[in-house]
């Protein structure tokens, strides 16, 4: 095989800035030293001296970590490691108007997987109050005369399921994905082709009342699939 062909097998060298490298070094330092939230991290001048870079480069790397919620400055303590908010970045970038069709479909598929998998948590943590709330939404849905009312019922029903699951991270993730879900439902309404699955909200509530946990995942899958098909 020729040298030219061998060269084409080489992977391109990834370009990284000095700030990229400092950021990576700091991440490795935090992990290897097992630094915990609340613990101090080295000062800006100490980092610059240890890595042999300018303070401006260190400042840029630190600002990135600060944006991720990994560090913050405290009076008389300097910089400390904080508990990062893993959802904060997603909240800033996930919105249907800035996502293309492919990404919206991927996110909706993710939502489908989450809701199908919620069953175990729902049956462990459901309460009479939650079930009555779902009953009221189903009743509103039956009386709804406009698309806006039906869309509101759709959103409220699924939001209540995440609330029932009792997992704060899941609830926040649902809130992040909600604009995509609303976008799909509103898009269908504009086409005058709102999805109605073979399993309704009322059917799902009956399953929750019956304590038939095994029937729930497939029922939710059938309920959401028409929305996915329209994407």
């Amino acid at each position: 095989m020729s040298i030219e062909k061998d060269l084409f097998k080489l992977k391109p060298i990834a370009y990284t800035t000095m700030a990229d490298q400092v950021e990576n070094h700091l991440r490795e330092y935090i992990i290897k030293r097992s630094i915990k939230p609340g613990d101090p991290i080295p000062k800006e001048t100490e980092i610059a001296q240890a890595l042999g870079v300018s303070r401006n480069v260190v400042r840029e790397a630190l600002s990135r970590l600060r944006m991720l919620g990994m560090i913050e400055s405290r009076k008389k303590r300097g910089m400390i490691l904080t508990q990062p908010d893993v959802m904060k970045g997603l909240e800033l970038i996930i919105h249907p108007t800035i996502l293309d069709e492919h990404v919206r479909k991927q996110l909706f598929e993710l939502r489908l997987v989450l809701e199908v998998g919620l069953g175990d948590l729902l049956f462990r943590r459901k309460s009479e109050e939650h079930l009555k709330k779902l009953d009221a939404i189903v009743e509103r849905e039956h009386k709804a005369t406009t698309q806006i009312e039906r869309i509101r019922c759709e959103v409220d029903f699924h939001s209540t399921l995440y609330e029932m699951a009792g997992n704060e991270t899941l609830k926040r993730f649902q809130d992040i994905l909600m604009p995509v879900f609303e976008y799909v439902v509103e898009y269908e309404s504009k086409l005058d082709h709102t999805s109605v699955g073979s399993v309704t909200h009322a059917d799902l509530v009956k399953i929750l009342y019956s304590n038939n946990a095994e029937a729930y995942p497939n029922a939710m899958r059938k309920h959401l699939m028409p929305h996915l098909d329209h994407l």
Side-chain angles (χ1 to χ4, degrees):
M1 186 177 290
S2 67
I3 294 176
E4 287 79 6
K5 288 183 178 179
D6 279 341
L7 285 173
F8 282 115
K9 290 185 177 181
L10 296 176
K11 293 181 180 180
I13 297 173
Y15 173 75
T16 59
T17 65
M18 293 294 288
D20 293 331
Q21 294 177 54
V22 172
E23 182 184 357
N24 290 334
H25 277 298
L26 289 173
R27 288 174 185 274
E28 290 177 9
Y29 176 86
I30 290 168
I31 293 169
K32 289 180 179 178
R33 292 294 184 95
S34 298
I35 297 175
K36 301 291 187 290
D39 291 345
I41 65 172
K43 297 177 181 178
E44 185 181 293
T45 52
E46 294 172 337
I47 297 170
Q49 195 170 37
L51 297 178
V53 296
S54 71
R55 290 182 62 180
N56 286 337
V57 170
V58 173
R59 199 171 291 127
E60 182 180 344
L62 290 172
S63 70
R64 295 179 185 181
L65 298 182
R66 193 173 285 109
M67 285 178 63
L68 292 172
M70 290 182 64
I71 62 171
E72 64 180 23
S73 298
R74 293 278 182 87
K75 285 184 177 180
K76 299 181 180 180
R77 292 197 62 194
M79 289 181 296
I80 64 167
L81 188 69
T82 58
Q83 183 67 54
D85 187 342
V86 295
M87 296 295 177
K88 188 174 182 180
L90 291 176
E91 287 172 341
L92 295 174
I93 63 173
I94 293 185
H95 194 280
T97 58
I98 59 175
L99 303 174
D100 64 22
E101 182 180 343
H102 175 71
V103 175
R104 288 198 299 268
K105 182 175 181 180
Q106 295 276 313
L107 289 173
F108 196 86
E109 287 175 347
L110 177 59
R111 184 188 173 104
L112 185 149
V113 171
L114 286 176
E115 296 210 14
V116 168
L118 275 182
D120 288 340
L121 291 178
L122 294 179
F123 282 90
R124 281 172 177 263
R125 298 171 180 172
K126 65 187 174 74
S127 66
E128 192 67 26
E129 182 182 352
H130 286 133
L131 293 174
K132 286 181 179 179
K133 189 173 180 179
L134 291 175
D135 281 334
I137 295 170
V138 169
E139 184 65 25
R140 276 170 44 211
E141 189 174 32
H142 286 159
K143 295 178 180 178
T145 58
T146 66
Q147 286 287 11
I148 291 176
E149 289 174 326
R150 283 188 281 271
I151 290 172
R152 190 68 258 162
C153 289
E154 181 81 18
V155 171
D156 289 349
F157 186 91
H158 291 271
S159 294
T160 301
L161 291 180
Y162 280 88
E163 181 184 310
M164 285 175 63
N167 183 295
E168 186 60 31
T169 300
L170 269 177
K171 182 65 174 69
R172 283 192 65 193
F173 197 52
Q174 183 260 352
D175 290 340
I176 292 170
L177 294 181
M178 182 57 75
V180 177
F181 185 71
E182 290 177 333
Y183 177 89
V184 172
V185 176
E186 289 179 14
Y187 174 74
E188 291 169 346
S189 69
K190 289 175 184 177
L191 295 177
D192 196 26
H193 196 170
T194 302
S195 293
V196 179
S198 58
V199 174
T200 66
H201 289 151
D203 295 328
L204 292 171
V205 175
K206 286 179 183 177
I207 293 173
L208 287 168
Y209 270 112
S210 71
N211 288 322
N212 188 355
E214 293 183 358
Y216 182 87
N218 194 45
M220 179 56 79
R221 188 179 297 109
K222 289 180 179 179
H223 174 71
L224 289 174
M225 280 307 294
H227 293 298
L228 185 61
D229 290 340
H230 283 160
L231 281 174

